[in-house]
């Protein structure tokens, strides 16, 4: 059963302009996530936004509690802890699907949460 769906788009150029403030990158991403291109970080930001929407956008979620990683085949997935793990458990979510794409200067992500 689908518990939540979230989608987000992020203009890479706009994200890169905002990311000139190091404090922003530190607040949004774990150290492992910051070690990447602006294009990928924009995609990761869109992924985290889509996840928040799929979880019902509750107050108090920590950006660092949802880290975007890739498996051996390059497929993105979330490693979640803390506030995000608690919300996932509260909603009875068993699987979180993540897709990230980049085209024409836009990063986009879709998240589907299943019970």
């Amino acid at each position: 059963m689908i518990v939540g769906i979230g989608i987000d788009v992020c203009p890479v150029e706009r994200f890169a302009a905002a990311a000139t403030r190091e404090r922003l990158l530190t607040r949004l991403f774990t150290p492992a996530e910051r070690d990447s291109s602006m294009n990928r970080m924009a995609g990761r930001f869109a992924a985290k936004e889509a996840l928040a929407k799929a979880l019902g956008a509750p107050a108090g979620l920590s950006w660092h509690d949802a880290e975007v990683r890739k498996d051996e085949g390059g497929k993105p997935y979330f490693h979640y802890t803390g506030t995000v793990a608690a919300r996932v458990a509260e909603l009875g979510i068993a699987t979180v699907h993540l897709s990230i794409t980049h085209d024409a200067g836009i990063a986009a992500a879709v998240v589907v949460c299943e019970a």
Side-chain angles (χ1 to χ4, degrees):
M1 178 172 85
I2 294 176
V3 176
I5 299 172
I7 185 169
D8 195 68
V9 297
C10 179
V12 176
E13 188 174 305
R14 186 171 140 208
F15 179 80
T20 59
R21 301 181 309 243
E22 182 62 30
R23 186 172 167 212
L24 176 70
L25 295 179
T26 302
R27 185 169 53 93
L28 295 176
F29 302 112
T30 66
E33 291 175 307
R34 289 193 304 266
D35 187 21
S36 194
S37 70
M38 269 310 141
N39 200 43
R40 285 188 178 156
M41 285 194 290
R44 289 172 181 162
F45 175 71
K48 290 182 182 208
E49 285 281 320
L51 177 62
K53 292 171 184 175
L55 296 177
L61 290 182
S62 171
W63 292 103
H64 283 231
D65 288 349
E67 183 178 75
V68 178
R69 297 181 178 178
K70 289 191 291 186
D71 69 13
E72 294 127 14
K75 180 181 174 188
Y77 69 94
F78 287 106
H79 172 75
Y80 42 84
T81 58
T83 59
V84 175
R87 181 64 175 170
V88 166
E90 177 185 348
L91 294 175
I93 295 169
T95 307
V96 177
H97 302 279
L98 169 61
S99 181
I100 303 173
T101 190
H102 306 83
D103 189 33
I106 300 291
V110 175
V111 171
V112 176
C113 297
E114 287 185 294

